[in-house]
Amino acid sequence: MCIRFGTDGWRGVIADDFTFENVERVAAGIGRYLAEEASTSGPVVVGYDRRFLSNAFAERITEVLTAYGIEVELSDAPLPTPALAFWVRWRQAPMGIMVTASHNPPQFNGIKIKSQAGCSAPPELTAAIERWVNRSGTQVCRRPLAEAEREGLLRRFNPSGPYGDHLLSLVDADAIRRAKLRVFADAMHGSAAEYLVSILQRAGVDVVPVRVEVNPSFGGVNPEPIEANLRALGERIRTGIAHIGIALDGDGDRIGVVGPGGEFINPHQIFALLLRHLVENRKERGEVVRTVSTTQMIDRLCRHYNLPLHEVPIGFKHIAALMLERDSLIGGEESGGIGVRGHLPERDGILSGLLLLEMMAITGKGILELRNDLFQLVGEHHYGRIDLHIDGPEGRQAVTEIGKRPPEAICGRRVRETNGRDGIKLLLEDDSWLMWRASGTEPVVRIYAESSSPGDVQKLLNEGEKLLREMITCIGPIKSLA
C-alpha cells in the first residue's frame, strides 16, 4: 500500500488501511527522514486524540522512533491538536506527530505532522516523509516503552498549564470575567473537552459542559461542528439560559457557534466577526488570508478596512505558509479553522472562542446582534455545503470537466468568473458563488455555495449537485490505475 498525505495528514479506516503495520511504516519513514535529512535535533512531540486505539497508535509510533535513537515526548493524556502544536513550538522540537482523524467518522484515524513552527507540515516536508515511508526495504524496529524511558529517550508531557496560560494572555480575560457570560461548551466527545472547559472557567465564564464524555463513536454524530451535527447543542441552549454555545471538532482546532435561541452562526460569519473585532475593537492591522472556499464577506471587509487580502488553496498549511512569511493578522478557512497573529500560524478553536467572548464583553452585545451588525456593513451572506460520497475517480474527473466546460449561468445568474485554484468555483454576477471540490482525505465531493438568503443557497446547492451528477453520467465508469 502506498501511503499519501492529503490536505491535512494521512487518514484511513481503522483495521483496513490504518493498521499498526502501516502506522509503523509511517513512524519508520519519519525516523529515517529525521536521521538522514533533518537539519534540527531535539525531542519529537507525539500526541493523540480520544479515538479508538489512538493512545496505542501513539505508543507504537514512540516505540519505532526511539528504536532509531530519537528522543520522544509523549502526551500523558488525550489533547487537542493546537495544544500539541503549541508544545512543539514552545519546546522548539523538530516535529510534532498527532494521532487524530479530526472531524472524520469514528471508523477513521489518522496522523497529522506539525513542523517546528507549530503549524501543519508544508508539502515539501510531507513529500520527503512519503518518500521514506514508501521506500522498499525500510526495516521497522521497536524499542519497548519501559526501556526507552530507562534510557532517557522517552519523557511524558502535559501542556495544559502553559497552553492555557498562553491563550489567556492573548485576550482580555478581565473583560470577559466582568461580562459574566454563560457558555454551553460542546466538545463533541473530542479530545479538547477538558481543555475547553478549564480554560473558559479560568477566564471567569460560567460553563455548562456538553458532550464532554469519552465516546469513541462520538454519540453517532461525526465530530465536525457543522449545523447538522450541532442539533444537540442547539436543543440544550434553547431549553437552557446561555449567551452562546461554542463547539469544537474532534481534535479541537475548529469552531462552531450556536446563538442563545439555537441559531447556527456559520464559520464564515465567525471569521468575518473576528476580523472585524481585531480591527475595530483591538485596533490591529495586517494582511488577511482566506482559502478559496471562504466567504466574500472577507473580501468586502478588507476593501472597507483597506487591508491586503490573499487567497490560497484549501488546507490550512497554505494559510500557515503566508502567516510565516508575511505580517498576517488573521487567516481562515471554510471549515471553521482560524489562526490569529501572536499565537501560532495554526488554527485553534479554543482561541477563536475566547476572542468571540472578548468581542461580546467589550461591545456589550450578544452574538446575534454582532452578526446582524456585520450584515449591516457587508450585506447579508448565507452559506451551505453538501458532501456527496462517490467511490472511484468519477467524482474528481467530473469536477475537472465542469471547469473545462462551465455553464454560462447558474440559477438565472450570469457566471462572471471561473476560479480553478482548488476545485472549481463559479463566481456569479451578484457575488454569489458555487463550488465543487473532491476531498483530499475522503471519497467525497463537496459542493459549496454562498448567497444572500438561505433559499438561494439551497437552490445553488441543488443545481450544483444536478450538474455534478449529469457530468458523472456523461463520463461513465473510469477504470482506476491504482
Side-chain angles (χ1 to χ4, degrees):
M1 172 185 168
C2 185
I3 291 174
R4 298 294 183 201
F5 284 77
T7 304
D8 191 16
W10 168 57
R11 297 178 197 176
V13 175
I14 300 170
D16 184 356
D17 44 6
F18 198 91
T19 63
F20 281 103
E21 180 182 3
N22 283 334
V23 168
E24 288 175 0
R25 287 177 56 205
V26 172
I30 292 171
R32 292 290 302 278
Y33 165 78
L34 290 170
E36 303 289 342
E37 293 189 43
S39 58
T40 57
S41 60
V44 172
V45 177
V46 178
Y48 56 93
D49 67 7
R50 284 178 164 184
R51 286 175 181 267
F52 179 62
L53 290 178
S54 282
N55 61 330
F57 286 123
E59 289 178 350
R60 186 63 59 89
I61 290 168
T62 301
E63 290 175 344
V64 173
L65 290 178
T66 55
Y68 279 92
I70 295 169
E71 294 180 56
V72 173
E73 293 193 355
L74 175 64
S75 172
D76 66 2
L79 78 168
T81 294
L84 176 125
F86 165 81
W87 194 259
V88 170
R89 189 160 180 172
W90 196 60
R91 292 283 287 130
Q92 297 184 316
M95 183 183 295
I97 304 171
M98 180 71 183
V99 179
T100 180
S102 185
H103 64 282
N104 287 87
Q107 66 268 29
F108 283 81
N109 214 324
I111 291 175
K112 291 182 178 182
I113 305 294
K114 298 299 174 184
S115 73
Q116 190 174 33
C119 61
S120 297
E124 57 269 21
L125 173 55
T126 54
I129 291 172
E130 281 179 3
R131 288 193 294 271
W132 286 107
V133 171
N134 296 308
R135 182 173 296 186
S136 61
T138 298
Q139 186 178 7
V140 175
C141 302
R142 291 162 52 190
R143 187 188 301 267
L145 296 182
E147 179 184 317
E149 284 191 283
R150 284 196 305 270
E151 296 185 6
L153 290 172
L154 169 60
R155 293 182 295 277
R156 310 280 178 164
F157 78 98
N158 187 312
S160 57
Y163 172 69
D165 291 344
H166 175 67
L167 290 189
L168 292 172
S169 74
L170 298 176
V171 298
D172 188 344
D174 289 336
I176 296 173
R177 189 172 292 107
R178 290 193 298 270
K180 300 186 183 303
L181 298 170
R182 192 168 196 246
V183 175
F184 278 52
D186 184 359
M188 303 191 78
H189 300 296
S191 58
E194 295 178 7
Y195 286 74
L196 175 64
V197 172
S198 65
I199 291 171
L200 290 180
Q201 287 176 337
R202 288 181 61 188
V205 173
D206 179 10
V207 179
V208 179
V210 179
R211 292 190 286 191
V212 295
E213 305 83 10
V214 175
N215 186 332
S217 70
F218 301 103
V221 176
N222 295 349
E224 181 177 15
I226 60 177
E227 185 171 11
N229 296 342
L230 294 184
R231 294 194 179 108
L233 177 59
E235 287 298 320
R236 288 289 303 272
I237 202 168
R238 271 192 293 272
T239 57
I241 299 174
H243 296 90
I244 190 174
I246 294 175
L248 302 182
D249 73 331
D251 68 330
D253 58 7
R254 298 190 295 170
I255 186 173
V257 170
V258 172
E263 182 177 351
F264 181 66
I265 310 296
N266 73 47
H268 302 268
Q269 296 163 1
I270 296 169
F271 183 14
L273 285 171
L274 292 183
L275 172 57
R276 194 174 188 198
H277 174 53
L278 293 175
V279 175
E280 294 195 4
N281 300 322
R282 293 173 52 134
K283 309 303 180 186
E284 298 186 44
R285 295 189 63 81
E287 300 183 7
V288 179
V289 190
R290 66 161 180 80
T291 56
V292 66
S293 60
T294 306
T295 176
Q296 291 289 299
M297 288 188 288
I298 300 302
D299 301 58
R300 293 187 177 187
L301 284 174
C302 286
R303 288 195 294 269
H304 178 73
Y305 297 130
N306 194 27
L307 298 176
L309 173 65
H310 304 277
E311 180 184 83
V312 297
I314 290 172
F316 207 88
K317 59 189 175 185
H318 302 293
I319 296 174
L322 275 179
M323 293 187 79
L324 286 168
E325 293 172 7
R326 308 178 69 88
D327 181 28
S328 300
L329 174 62
I330 186 172
E333 58 184 358
E334 167 268 339
S335 57
I338 299 168
V340 177
R341 185 174 60 200
H343 180 34
L344 299 166
E346 185 59 281
R347 51 198 170 185
D348 191 320
I350 297 178
L351 178 58
S352 295
L354 286 170
L355 287 168
L356 284 176
L357 297 180
E358 181 186 64
M359 185 179 191
M360 294 166 63
I362 290 173
T363 62
K365 295 181 179 181
I367 189 66
L368 294 180
E369 187 178 1
L370 290 169
R371 196 271 312 272
N372 293 337
D373 287 350
L374 173 68
F375 285 170
Q376 288 291 319
L377 179 61
V378 298
E380 194 163 338
H381 287 68
H382 297 272
Y383 161 84
R385 187 187 93 189
I386 55 176
D387 294 0
L388 302 179
H389 188 103
I390 301 173
D391 287 319
E394 289 85 3
R396 185 177 298 276
Q397 183 62 33
V399 173
T400 300
E401 292 300 320
I402 291 172
K404 291 178 180 177
R405 295 176 284 165
E408 294 182 358
I410 297 284
C411 296
R413 282 164 278 189
R414 181 178 58 85
V415 176
R416 64 175 173 85
E417 183 182 336
T418 300
N419 185 331
R421 185 182 294 276
D422 192 353
I424 298 299
K425 181 178 182 179
L426 303 181
L427 290 132
L428 310 182
E429 58 187 347
D430 63 347
D431 255 5
S432 298
W433 54 268
L434 176 65
M435 179 174 169
W436 300 262
R437 180 181 182 271
S439 170
T441 57
E442 305 168 79
V444 166
V445 174
R446 294 194 167 92
I447 305 175
Y448 315 77
E450 183 179 51
S451 193
S452 59
S453 74
D456 278 347
V457 168
Q458 192 58 53
K459 290 177 183 177
L460 288 170
L461 291 174
N462 293 342
E463 185 67 15
E465 181 175 358
K466 177 184 173 184
L467 286 169
L468 182 75
R469 293 196 183 280
E470 287 176 351
M471 192 63 69
I472 290 174
T473 300
C474 290
I475 292 170
I478 300 174
K479 182 181 287 187
S480 173
L481 299 178

